[in-house]
Amino acid sequence: MEYFLTVVEESSFTRAADLLHVTQPALSHQVKALERSVGGDLLERMPRAVRLTPMGRAFLPYAQLAVRSARQAERAARAVAGAAGGELHVATVHAVAVGMLPPLAARWRAAHPGVALVLREYGSTEVLEEQLERGAADLAVGPQPKEWAGPVVPVGREELVIVVPFDDPLAGRGAVRLAELADRDWIRCAMEPLVEGQPVIDRACGAAGFVPRTVMRTEHTSTAVRMAAAGVGIVMAPAHMVRGAVGEDCVLLSLDPPWHRPLAVFSRVPLTGAAAAFAGLLGQGAATDGSARRD
């Protein structure tokens, strides 16, 4: 299955053989054996390319899951044993990766030098949960999922704040009501969380009696924060991410009443070994970090 996936990714038996460090005849033999086992052609061989047959397209996602699960099983066993070269694959969203994980990763390296971290970042909580279900990582760190079949370990909560430049009229205040921002220009981010299918800012501002006036849209939250610090507009973002992205270059205003969302570590299988240690380390950090307080 790994050979088959590599051929699909490279659209070439020749390039796949080079990547896998096997001869092309050996690679072709293994793929043919796979096709015999499933009862039909998975690949259409063309003069200069290879593409999936209808049977291959149906087979592909299950092959990806099987190969990922096999790799995950090996990683988990090596990590539990503390073997040199073991890896722990962590999935998260961009804001958590930028704001919360750097100091945690440093503590992890000091405590577990034999287990490397592999970080996988996603643009939304929906994609994060979907990729974890598909076996893309050993565990995820992000907003606590509402519905999740596997273990969920709460590790604190993050505060959502308004970011303004130093010379903003609101900069001297510690908090602001959302209704006071009705006449402001907003910077919006593609990673903005959704609530019941609606962007959280649209939903909240609508409840406060206004429609936010959007002047810029960005892909990444850190970009939106930098734009807000430069005076392009205001943005709502997690407080820990803002500090991690721009440090002291802007002013953070709490919302009145405050906005928080719970964070959790979650996985498809029980957290053991390195995964459990990582969740415990994150929980310890949340207990002492004012930007991610426990409920």
Side-chain angles (χ1 to χ4, degrees):
M1 287 187 188
E2 185 176 11
Y3 285 4
F4 162 75
L5 293 177
T6 305
V7 173
V8 172
E9 291 168 0
E10 295 298 318
S11 298
S12 165
F13 276 87
T14 302
R15 290 194 296 270
D18 289 341
L19 282 175
L20 294 166
H21 304 294
V22 298
T23 65
Q24 187 170 335
L27 174 61
S28 297
H29 176 77
Q30 290 294 331
V31 174
K32 277 293 186 183
L34 178 63
E35 290 177 319
R36 287 195 298 271
S37 73
V38 300
D41 290 343
L42 300 174
L43 298 171
E44 180 181 356
R45 283 85 167 163
M46 297 181 294
R48 295 186 178 181
V50 179
R51 67 182 183 186
L52 290 165
T53 64
M55 181 178 285
R57 285 193 294 273
F59 183 77
L60 179 64
Y62 298 98
Q64 290 172 327
L65 179 59
V67 171
R68 284 174 175 171
S69 295
R71 291 172 178 168
Q72 185 176 351
E74 182 179 354
R75 291 197 306 268
R78 291 176 64 84
V80 169
E87 292 181 344
L88 181 67
H89 288 226
V90 178
T92 189
V93 290
H94 177 71
V96 171
V98 171
M100 292 184 64
L101 294 189
L104 175 71
R107 293 198 297 272
W108 177 266
R109 291 298 301 144
H112 304 275
V115 182
L117 293 179
V118 178
L119 189 63
R120 304 185 183 279
E121 297 179 57
Y122 299 101
S124 69
T125 55
E126 291 79 10
V127 175
L128 172 65
E129 293 173 18
E130 175 186 342
Q131 289 299 312
L132 187 64
E133 286 179 345
R134 293 183 177 183
D138 303 311
L139 56 83
V141 182
Q144 185 169 325
K146 292 184 178 180
E147 298 180 2
W148 186 259
V152 177
V153 180
V155 292
R157 58 180 184 171
E158 63 180 358
E159 181 183 8
L160 295 174
V161 297
I162 300 296
V163 181
V164 299
F166 278 124
D167 59 356
D168 192 275
L170 298 174
R173 296 173 52 176
V176 62
R177 291 181 295 107
L178 194 58
E180 296 180 74
L181 305 176
D183 62 344
R184 302 301 298 268
D185 294 333
W186 287 76
I187 302 169
R188 306 291 293 275
C189 177
M191 296 179 177
E192 184 180 326
L194 302 178
V195 177
E196 297 181 0
Q198 184 180 16
V200 64
I201 291 177
D202 290 335
R203 184 181 179 89
C205 293
F210 70 96
V211 176
R213 185 172 63 235
T214 302
V215 297
M216 176 177 284
R217 294 186 181 274
T218 69
E219 287 294 322
H220 295 282
T221 312
S222 54
T223 304
V225 169
R226 295 295 302 179
M227 293 295 176
V232 176
I234 64 173
V235 68
M236 181 185 293
H240 59 76
M241 194 286 304
V242 179
R243 298 186 181 99
V246 298
E248 302 299 326
D249 293 344
C250 57
V251 175
L252 281 62
L253 302 175
S254 296
L255 285 162
D256 182 13
W259 280 32
H260 295 95
R261 62 178 178 179
L263 298 174
V265 171
F266 50 102
S267 177
R268 296 187 304 157
V269 297
L271 297 171
T272 60
F278 186 87
L281 193 62
L282 184 57
Q284 294 171 12
T288 59
D289 182 359
S291 66
R293 297 182 295 274
R294 284 189 176 280
D295 290 321

